Amino acid sequence: MAAVVAAEDGSFDDEITPGAVTNCLLWQAEVSRPRLPAPPVEDPGWSQKALLGYHSEFVVLRTPSMEQALTQLRLTLLVNNRQRGTARRGLIVSGPPGAGKSTTLAELGRSFERSERRRRPGAASWMPVAFASIPPLYTPKSLVQVLARFAGIPVHDRMTENTITNAVCHVLCERRTRLVFFDDVHLLNTRTRPGADTSDQVKTLMERVPATFVLAGVDVENSPLLTGPRGAQLAARCKILRTPPLLNGTPGQKAVWRALLGDVEGALRLPRHRPGTLIRHADYIHLLTGGVMASLSLLIREAAIRSIVDGSYAITKKLLSQVVLDIQATNAARATRKRRPGS
């Protein structure tokens, strides 16, 4: 009831949320937006609206798998730096839903683009990074249309696939794109004609554009993308990087989980929150989220926002228990409880 009253009183931020990054201008604006450390909680500039906005956006959860991906990307870029011919190396980021694959892609792209800007401050017309998601009704033409829109290339339905492909390859080469991301590649079923043709289009782009390609999708290693002769070609060029949920069984796993919760807690800006609360309830938080990053992010952000709305300004175990999580996390927590002795 308190939350309803608070919403009617206007305590929620009703500003329009920025849309998805679908073109290079939006992407470059996002990369340019600095991530400065948030002011301390005692700062008088914190209004309720500012606290709600901050905890809604919050921070990117940097996991060991994300750090590994950053390291592998740097190494792969160095390997490809002077690679002649078409056999450049690529990466595939794979994991279950909600494990942080798309976030990892965004962080990889942000880190690389900011590095390129520092190295070449005068190259304003360059486009170091390009993004595309596999369209649900994919075809080779629809895939390059997505890349064309990102690059700002005007296209229309009467243009042929070959024309758009040539334009995309020309612009990506001309603007010195060195990193190309394809998300949702698990949708590509190479056992079907559209899937096989679109997979061939990905291979064509990898051959014609002198860039490092990073693909991401749900459990890609078990998907049809890597099956058959086409899949074998892709598998021969790419490393698989897994982004699994964080575990909480062995002492090492517990240490990693608690270190992440410590980082999360350090980013909170709640004036009455007791430091160490999240770490003290680390096992309970893992039970709720299954170690899945999307579920953890939702849990902490909503608990923080609830505490701001109800005026407690502190996350407690009771408050955590009131957050309704996604179906995947709820089912995983229920299954864990059933496996416990005496449950």
Side-chain angles (χ1 to χ4, degrees), residues 129-141:
V129 177
F131 277 92
S133 291
I134 303 298
L137 299 176
Y138 52 77
T139 63
K141 182 177 179 178

Side-chain angles (χ1 to χ4, degrees), residues 102-125:
S102 296
T103 301
T104 297
L105 291 193
E107 285 301 293
L108 293 177
R110 177 184 172 86
S111 175
F112 177 73
E113 177 130 352
R114 291 179 73 87
S115 172
E116 286 293 281
R117 291 183 187 183
R118 287 192 297 270
R119 292 201 309 130
R120 300 179 175 88
S125 64

